[in-house]
Amino acid sequence: MTTSQVPVDLHQHIQQEPDVSKLSFNKVVDLIRETYGERCIVGVVNFRDVNTRGLRDDRRYEDFTNLKGYKRQNYGDHINVGQVRIIKVQEIPAIHEGMEVHIICVGLKEEEHIEPRRNLLEVLSEIKRRNLISIIDHPFARAGIGRYLAKDKTLEKKVLSSVTGIELFNGLTERSFPFVGDGNSNKRTQEYFDSIKEEYPNLGAIVGTDGQSLKALRYASYSLLDIQTDEENFDLQLVQRLQKAIRKHRNIERDKRVPQSRYEMLKHIYGIISEEGIKHTLSRL
């Protein structure tokens, strides 16, 4: 069995808007190679939601991976361009106690999705039933579940026994910025993880960029995961091998952690307010 250290970033939106038709597939793949290396796994994130204007459909993974450009192989849940693997990710706005909390799901097939705005435990149950990867992203920032877990042991046990891992470092929330966080959310996540990791030995840790632009792709954050990379059946077993590697990864000291600029944060918040309005945005904090 061959194990290799592979850069993995499962939190790249590529841009703020779902419409990626104007992007150059080749340019994005070249940027990925420059940032992560020739062999890597990068998640392109769909954010399907229901907002004040109705359903906000998001097919950016499907649309991006079908743009014209370099030759690629399509496995349904990911594509290959050489040794660059781009995998489908959905960031799901679930509901707990009437508030929005985010969960990342990795490994859905093309055109599949998990419905947003449902009860948190129902969402996690569906992900587990499908044998997919679930990550608690930015737990102590905007739309994070961390504050609820820290005060409710019953909820904590149900959630942490179900998910694959926790995003210990999120590049977008590392700095203090209105609507995003106070700059201490990643620190609080690490402290929380340290307090519960012995009780949950199968709970992994991961780093993500939460990138909203091509510039963010240049300054990415990622984990270096030890993944079984035997070529036989590798792509057919990618989600299972990735899930196993995340569960074993419990220390992010060797991972690359890069705070996003405040300009990137401003663009992100401006995009949310433009879509939903200031009143609705404030109501979801």
Side-chain angles (χ1 to χ4, degrees), residues 153 156 160 192-200 203:
K153 282 293 181 182
E156 180 183 77
L160 298 188
Y192 174 72
F193 183 73
D194 289 341
S195 73
I196 54 86
K197 64 183 180 182
E198 298 304 321
E199 188 176 352
Y200 299 94
L203 183 67

Side-chain angles (χ1 to χ4, degrees), residues 67 179 214 227-228 230 265 274:
L67 292 173
F179 299 108
L214 296 188
I227 300 178
Q228 183 186 341
D230 305 76
M265 299 167 81
S274 297

Side-chain angles (χ1 to χ4, degrees), residues 173-191:
T173 65
E174 175 66 3
R175 301 183 194 275
S176 174
F177 201 82
F179 299 108
V180 178
D182 60 7
N184 291 312
S185 61
N186 289 331
K187 180 182 177 182
R188 287 201 296 275
T189 302
Q190 181 67 67
E191 291 171 347

Side-chain angles (χ1 to χ4, degrees), residues 63-246:
D63 293 341
F64 173 72
T65 55
N66 282 286
L67 292 173
K68 293 181 180 179
Y70 293 135
K71 183 180 178 181
R72 71 214 72 167
Q73 292 177 287
N74 192 329
Y75 291 89
D77 53 16
H78 73 283
I79 64 165
N80 287 6
V81 184
Q83 292 294 310
V84 171
R85 288 171 170 86
I86 299 174
I87 192 167
K88 180 175 176 177
V89 178
Q90 183 182 349
E91 185 171 11
I92 306 158
I95 301 298
H96 178 70
E97 294 186 356
M99 299 299 289
E100 175 179 330
V101 292
H102 290 183
I103 294 292
I104 280 178
C105 174
V106 183
L108 286 162
K109 301 291 186 182
E110 283 185 300
E111 307 301 340
E112 291 184 350
H113 62 267
I114 291 175
E115 286 298 330
R117 302 275 154 194
R118 292 162 54 209
N119 175 271
L120 170 67
L121 296 178
E122 289 180 7
V123 169
L124 291 177
S125 177
E126 181 175 351
I127 296 172
K128 190 172 184 178
R129 178 175 55 80
R130 294 192 186 199
N131 295 316
L132 302 173
I133 295 168
S134 55
I135 304 288
I136 301 171
D137 54 322
H138 47 70
F140 287 92
R142 176 183 178 274
I145 187 64
R147 55 181 166 167
Y148 301 104
L149 300 181
K151 68 180 183 181
D152 186 338
K153 282 293 181 182
T154 301
L155 177 69
E156 180 183 77
K157 184 174 183 179
K158 290 178 180 178
V159 171
L160 298 188
S161 298
S162 176
V163 300
T164 308
I166 296 181
E167 188 181 62
L168 288 195
F169 181 94
N170 177 292
L172 191 65
T173 65
E174 175 66 3
R175 301 183 194 275
S176 174
F177 201 82
F179 299 108
V180 178
D182 60 7
N184 291 312
S185 61
N186 289 331
K187 180 182 177 182
R188 287 201 296 275
T189 302
Q190 181 67 67
E191 291 171 347
Y192 174 72
F193 183 73
D194 289 341
S195 73
I196 54 86
K197 64 183 180 182
E198 298 304 321
E199 188 176 352
Y200 299 94
N202 291 320
L203 183 67
I206 201 162
V207 163
T209 303
D210 205 350
Q212 310 286 329
S213 70
L214 296 188
K215 185 176 180 181
L217 194 57
R218 290 184 181 276
Y219 301 99
S221 299
Y222 55 82
S223 288
L224 294 168
L225 298 186
D226 294 317
I227 300 178
Q228 183 186 341
T229 50
D230 305 76
E231 290 303 322
E232 185 178 1
N233 295 324
F234 180 77
D235 285 289
L236 298 177
Q237 299 174 354
L238 180 62
V239 173
Q240 293 93 327
R241 295 190 189 194
L242 186 55
Q243 186 167 57
K244 186 176 180 180
I246 293 170

